[in-house]
Amino acid sequence: PAGALPARPAAEPGGDLAGRPCRHPLADRRTNARLAHCEDSVKGRFEAIAPTLKAISALQHLDDFAGRAQALARQQLGYELPQGILDDAWVAGLDLKALYAHCAFSALKASAAQFADDLKNQLEQLQDARNFFLDCGFHAIDISPCADGRLKGLSRYILRLPLTSFSWRKAYAGALFDVETDVRHWVSTELRRFREGVPTTAAAGSRYLKVAVYHTSSSNPCHEGCAAHGSNEHKAIEAALERLVQFRQAIENAFCCGASTDILLIGVDTDTDAIKVHVPDARGELSAHRYVEAMALYRETARLSADSARLAVYEAISRASAASGWGTGQGEPHEGMRRLIAHLLINNFSQIEYVAELYGERYPDIGHAERFISVGDGFEEVQMRNVAYYAHLHTLEEGAADMDVGIKIFKGLNVKHGLPIPVAIHYRYDARVPGSRERAAAKARRVRDAIRARYPELAAQGFLACHLSVQDQPTGSPIETVEA
Amino acid sequence: PAGALPARPAAEPGGDLAGRPCRHPLADRRTNARLAHCEDSVKGRFEAIAPTLKAISALQHLDDFAGRAQALARQQLGYELPQGILDDAWVAGLDLKALYAHCAFSALKASAAQFADDLKNQLEQLQDARNFFLDCGFHAIDISPCADGRLKGLSRYILRLPLTSFSWRKAYAGALFDVETDVRHWVSTELRRFREGVPTTAAAGSRYLKVAVYHTSSSNPCHEGCAAHGSNEHKAIEAALERLVQFRQAIENAFCCGASTDILLIGVDTDTDAIKVHVPDARGELSAHRYVEAMALYRETARLSADSARLAVYEAISRASAASGWGTGQGEPHEGMRRLIAHLLINNFSQIEYVAELYGERYPDIGHAERFISVGDGFEEVQMRNVAYYAHLHTLEEGAADMDVGIKIFKGLNVKHGLPIPVAIHYRYDARVPGSRERAAAKARRVRDAIRARYPELAAQGFLACHLSVQDQPTGSPIETVEA
Ligand SMILES: [Zn+2]
Ligand SMILES: [Zn+2]
Ligand SMILES: [Zn+2]
Ligand SMILES: [Zn+2]
């Protein structure tokens, strides 16, 4: 399967070019090949849209235009175009904006279905992941990355953590997650343990882990870092640390002793997907200055045997814990935390190698190159870098700042070229709660109306293409279109 | 203390005038007197504003205007006016809108402080109420009335239920409470039982009671009923019933068996404050057609001894349970529920008598006569009829319809007379959650900005007077002004 990797410029990870691709003993080349295939087909679906529509547009004045156009669409895109738009082309010209929007949402739905399928084939891995988390002493892993599109592949690509029933991800601009929402989440997780003993009983002494993920750009740190923090890494770290501490404090204050939660902070270099894991000390405290860098560790260990490399990872974690100076902490974290950190670093080695093999020294799109704006709860299953700009919001009133940034990005990416901005408004519902689906659909409509009202010129000129959908809670549930 | 009741037209409750006020053996005349004093002083504070400002306005061109105005304000209102406004009056005339807003919010804050004080004197009653609920088998009582200002006195006046740590109230237009929010509330209540055994242990078999309260107007049912349901009582009942069933179903579906919740539906005639309690059957099911009416029962039992009257109340509940036809149910509710219903009916006798004695056959203000718009979480402690129009909202985007109704009402009540609309934006925070106070204050500012943007003409002409405040969770916490 390694042979399935497309031939692109390969590089020694981290830019230390030696002419031949590097092979780390702990990198998972089989999974890399599968992920490359997945990335190719998802991005390919979006990339095929513009050339295909351009070719179709050129056929406009030929005989049997609609028939030829559909044939081309089937062949190049794999689906048909709305017949009505083709039939009406002779009157006022072909409505290319409408076709583009249709294709973008078709690509999105096909990608989501592919990811959902893929998830079904990973049931064994899922069980392994669950057992691994439990072995490390965690009964819940709640990850909040920044909403930046370049982190959209966090679980699947960068950290290689499968979505399980007790690990999940919710993105916020600048990783500034909502403490109140997360406390509620902690509460319902705990209740399930007490009532049902799932996934561990209340007596088990396992922990709830809250992870925040910030990001930087090693090649252009002052411009391509986290927009929510003005591309200032220091600010991004401090802000995420503050939220993590607030979260832990909130639970300790509200639910007396024994409310044991762990916190973890991870940084991602969006140029190379290499991570930096901040190592908690024995009391669970974090520091901006105490961490392990996966890229340096990758290079140090790339030529060792698998066992030696694994040992070196654990040693690096111990070294970080023993740091003096600003990063000084009080001892090492508990054993389960050390195992989890080692696991994340080793997983990331595969991704470092993936990026180096497919793209060379760094991603070619170090900036924005998103294909659509994802509004609402987001398509949890579609996990790939730079596919979507993501604005997690339940009302535009609260999320207007995030949305404005997204619209600005897409004015440059799409509107400048005459293409509409695909806005996929998506909410999850809970089929076990009566009326929940209807309320989620109504919310999607309300948010759509608010978006149209906020950008009236774009709406009037047909540059805002909104697609509304809802989805039941369980991971991999079908995406149900509510209203085109 | 009965002598403290002001002399106003007294009437036999229900309009059956017999020339002399009725005395029901179960009515609590001592509490009635205290509540009358409370109502007088709260409403008096608002009623004094306009005449006092009128008198002050007439002094504008006299010597030492500011000194005279302050003296009058102290004497008539009990507080001083902002000195700057008085000092500047000689330039562009007295800014009466600003003074009016200042006075309205001062009256509100004084009323809130009075209610909070009053709560501190009821600690014994609180403990009694808690014990009573527990005896009836309830560990939580969650009441959702309609947001209509005429139901604002529901707990304190109409039902005479003190606010305790496990009974609370959250109003929604049309009593259409948010199922998701309430399920979350149920979850955290259950977790506290499991973790801390508060107020009952998980093994105790006690229940969570969810109550919805709709309303009608007996003298003008088609115009002064619930605006959210077009003054259609049938619709109001069906909608509330549907939500109650959804709530119970949601919990049963999501948390397997044993998740025992009770539901209850109550109607209020806002002309007389008389209630109608829908009696659940043995399976906990409700019917629009199976209920006991407090007003009829009051009249039937007014001339009996206390013991016979109490017995008659229980008999009425049994009679309702045995109803045939549309209201047929399967047997009687459990004993705790019967006791609770009897308690509510008997409590309501006091309020029926209160209204009859103070106002005669019905309230003089059967329609809207609110003093301010309450936006956000509302002033839980200020519980009095027609003091506030209440819009429970966390974003104007979600609550715009409620707010539009409020603004329309106040255009008639205030703007028509040149007075501004006092809008009190108020959010609760949790001091145990770090950053919670700052986030609540930021939310208040965001909602204020959204309100100004939605009603730009009113804002530009100074007709929107917004007051921002936050308050810690525990009942009776001080109201903290955020920004004038
Ligand atoms: Zn960011
Ligand atoms: Zn969400
Ligand atoms: Zn109503
Ligand atoms: Zn609220």
Side-chain angles (χ1 to χ4, degrees), chain A residues 179-180 184 188 191-192 194-195 246 249-250 253-255 257 395-398 432 434 436 439 446 450, chain B residues 180 184 187 191-192 194-195 246 249-250 253-255 257 395-398 432 434 436 439 446 450:
Chain A
V179 173
E180 279 78 7
R184 282 200 299 261
S188 55
L191 182 61
R192 226 165 260 288
F194 275 99
R195 281 184 68 94
Q246 286 184 343
Q249 198 66 46
N253 292 354
F255 293 88
C257 56
T395 63
L396 188 63
E397 187 174 324
E398 292 162 296
R432 299 168 306 176
S436 171
R439 288 190 290 273
R446 169 171 55 66
Chain B
E180 278 79 7
R184 281 200 300 262
V187 166
L191 182 61
R192 227 165 261 288
F194 276 100
R195 282 183 67 94
Q246 286 184 343
Q249 199 65 47
N253 292 354
F255 293 88
C257 56
T395 63
L396 188 63
E397 189 174 324
E398 291 162 297
R432 299 167 307 176
S436 172
R439 289 190 290 273
R446 169 172 55 66

Side-chain angles (χ1 to χ4, degrees), chain B residues 233-273:
Chain B
E233 180 176 7
H234 182 74
K235 275 193 197 159
I237 293 176
E238 288 304 326
L241 271 178
E242 189 191 8
R243 282 291 151 107
L244 287 170
V245 170
Q246 286 184 343
F247 169 76
R248 198 155 65 140
Q249 199 65 47
I251 288 170
E252 282 177 6
N253 292 354
F255 293 88
C256 28
C257 56
S260 56
T261 49
D262 272 352
I263 53 176
L264 189 63
L265 180 65
I266 297 176
V268 175
D269 173 4
T270 53
D271 289 7
T272 62
D273 280 352

Side-chain angles (χ1 to χ4, degrees), chain B residues 265-335:
Chain B
L265 180 65
I266 297 176
V268 175
D269 173 4
T270 53
D271 289 7
T272 62
D273 280 352
I275 64 170
K276 198 163 124 176
V277 183
H278 293 257
V279 181
D281 71 7
R283 301 160 310 163
E285 307 284 346
L286 294 167
S287 160
H289 307 283
R290 186 172 62 250
Y291 52 79
V292 180
E293 283 187 295
M295 181 61 84
L297 201 53
Y298 177 97
R299 291 201 229 157
E300 278 170 42
T301 57
R303 276 162 187 88
L304 303 180
S305 70
D307 283 350
S308 313
R310 200 170 276 112
L311 195 66
V313 169
Y314 278 93
E315 281 168 1
I317 298 169
S318 290
R319 240 176 10 246
S321 292
S324 58
W326 284 6
T328 311
Q330 299 197 4
E332 290 192 284
H334 60 86
E335 198 230 329

